[in-house]
Amino acid sequence: MSQVKVYITPFLSNGSYGTEREITKDVIQIGPLGVDTDSSDYQIGVFRNSSFRLTLNNRDGLYSDVGIDQSIFAYKRADAKVRVTYTEDNNLPFCGTAICGEAILCEEITVFEGLLNDESFLEEAQQEKAEFLVLGYESLFSRVTVPFAAISNGDPVSNVIFAMLDQSEITDLLTVDLANIVPGLDEEIDDKTDLENLTAKEAIDRLLLLSNSVLKIEDETVYVTSRDASASLIYTFHGQASLDGAENIINVRNISNGKNRMFNYMTWRDDTVVFQSSSSIALYGVRKREIDSTIFNDNTKQTDIVTELVTEFAFPKQELELQTPIKADVVEL
């Protein structure tokens, strides 16, 4: 039988992180865990926080707020680290005890890392349970503003995003390296005025769209990449009666033709720049999008951006939800 474990790393009284402790025995419920790139069917280049709800047995007061003697939280409860792991078999085999055909060689895999959110904390006295929202590390981006003085006109998008992420509130928890920030289109900005007084998240949202890029966090490291598929096939799922491998598809649902995300005619507000895909328009009619930004005011750069975006989204890409048994290799995927 597989097993999910939950760990918390609380703060010490001096404000530094203490030792990670397993709290699986107190877990009553873990809500659905989701990690997304685009925040809705009709937006692109906008990331959304990964999150889930965590309900704990608080009979002993371990998860009460600071000031309660029994609480594990000595400095503050918010931003305690939360880690969720998956093990394919909860009875790991040992030399001399593994039974052939029954024991599974596996290891504990981390499937989520994030921070405890104290703002939405709920507690029920009669049932003695505490309910938290756990947010992905990308929630840190909403807590800092754009370091406006650290950005200059003429900086490429990669450097601008790096400057936004290279702040202690973020780098204390995440690794931020310029080498890992490789946008799909890395143009030099013309006017930084649009970025003033924005949170880092708001600004990154805009730059991800203009650079046709996505942001992801893996192993506590931030990456910005293009939307290009990987060079090699990573994994293959097999349906019923497949001759190429064991069946590992339970169901395929919410199959979309992808037309909800496509557009084939893009303009730049208050400018003459326009790019269209004639072949897409011939098939689907005009599907127009407009960019409203003064970060780039050079016509050549604007043309490069709308060309890149229309080329990416001029034709529908089928989307679907695939249900599969939870196995170690799928979790890794």
Side-chain angles (χ1 to χ4, degrees):
M1 181 181 293
S2 61
Q3 185 176 33
V4 173
K5 294 183 179 181
V6 181
Y7 299 84
I8 281 184
T9 305
F11 288 98
L12 299 174
S13 57
N14 63 5
S16 62
Y17 281 106
T19 303
E20 183 181 68
R21 56 190 293 170
E22 184 184 349
I23 62 165
T24 308
K25 65 180 180 62
D26 293 325
V27 174
I28 297 174
Q29 184 178 15
I30 296 178
L33 192 159
V35 181
D36 298 286
T37 51
D38 296 317
S39 64
S40 80
D41 285 346
Y42 302 98
Q43 288 182 299
I44 58 170
V46 181
F47 61 84
R48 181 170 62 180
N49 289 348
S50 49
S51 64
F52 68 93
R53 288 208 166 270
L54 177 65
T55 305
L56 302 174
N57 180 346
N58 197 33
R59 180 169 300 168
D60 297 326
L62 295 175
Y63 311 107
S64 298
D65 210 346
V66 177
I68 304 300
D69 290 341
Q70 300 93 327
S71 176
I72 66 173
F73 304 108
Y75 178 70
K76 66 175 181 176
R77 192 163 51 182
D79 293 342
K81 293 182 181 180
V82 178
R83 186 167 68 97
V84 180
T85 67
Y86 169 81
T87 308
E88 192 166 347
D89 191 348
N90 61 356
N91 295 310
L92 296 179
F94 295 93
C95 182
T97 64
I99 301 174
C100 181
E102 296 182 13
I104 299 175
L105 292 176
C106 58
E107 59 184 11
E108 193 173 0
I109 303 170
T110 298
V111 295
F112 181 91
E113 292 178 288
L115 301 172
L116 205 64
N117 179 277
D118 204 18
E119 297 174 9
S120 60
F121 172 76
L122 297 172
E123 189 169 14
E124 187 169 333
Q126 184 176 6
Q127 296 189 21
E128 299 176 315
K129 64 182 183 180
E131 183 177 329
F132 296 92
L133 180 64
V134 182
L135 298 176
Y137 282 130
E138 62 271 21
S139 60
L140 295 169
F141 306 160
S142 296
R143 304 187 194 177
V144 295
T145 58
V146 173
F148 196 66
I151 298 170
S152 301
N153 294 338
D155 287 345
V157 168
S158 55
N159 288 61
V160 177
I161 293 178
F162 174 75
M164 296 175 189
L165 297 174
D166 190 26
Q167 302 187 62
S168 60
E169 293 88 343
I170 297 174
T171 55
D172 285 347
L173 291 168
L174 298 173
T175 298
V176 179
D177 189 334
L178 182 59
N180 295 327
I181 301 176
V182 187
L185 191 63
D186 200 12
E187 298 280 6
E188 297 177 351
I189 67 171
D190 297 317
D191 187 353
K192 66 177 186 176
T193 306
D194 258 7
L195 302 175
E196 190 170 14
N197 299 324
L198 297 180
T199 65
K201 181 188 184 309
E202 291 171 329
I204 291 173
D205 283 351
R206 299 185 184 188
L207 291 174
L208 289 177
L209 171 62
L210 294 171
S211 63
N212 193 24
S213 307
V214 292
L215 180 148
K216 60 183 179 180
I217 298 174
E218 295 180 354
D219 300 324
E220 299 185 350
T221 301
V222 182
Y223 298 90
V224 173
T225 68
S226 69
R227 294 177 177 270
D228 294 337
S230 58
S232 58
L233 180 65
I234 298 174
Y235 195 85
T236 301
F237 290 95
H238 300 283
Q240 293 180 348
S242 171
L243 299 177
D244 298 323
E247 178 187 349
N248 56 0
I249 296 177
I250 296 175
N251 190 19
V252 180
R253 62 183 186 181
N254 293 336
I255 301 173
S256 165
N257 57 21
K259 292 180 182 178
N260 53 321
R261 291 193 199 271
M262 66 165 289
F263 52 87
N264 50 31
Y265 189 97
M266 179 167 272
T267 61
W268 205 287
R269 179 172 293 184
D270 300 328
D271 218 311
T272 58
V273 171
V274 61
F275 185 80
Q276 59 183 309
S277 169
S278 300
S279 54
S280 175
I281 291 174
L283 283 172
Y284 306 107
V286 173
R287 293 172 178 262
K288 182 180 177 181
R289 287 286 298 270
E290 182 179 69
I291 290 182
D292 181 16
S293 174
T294 61
I295 296 174
F296 297 97
N297 51 43
D298 177 83
N299 280 6
T300 300
K301 296 176 185 177
Q302 291 175 344
T303 301
D304 289 343
I305 291 170
V306 297
T307 301
E308 177 86 6
L309 289 172
V310 170
T311 301
E312 181 77 44
F313 293 97
F315 291 90
K317 298 178 176 66
Q318 189 177 69
E319 300 178 10
L320 54 85
E321 293 180 11
L322 185 147
Q323 288 181 298
T324 180
I326 298 179
K327 299 289 184 181
D329 52 356
V330 175
V331 173
E332 287 276 11
L333 177 67

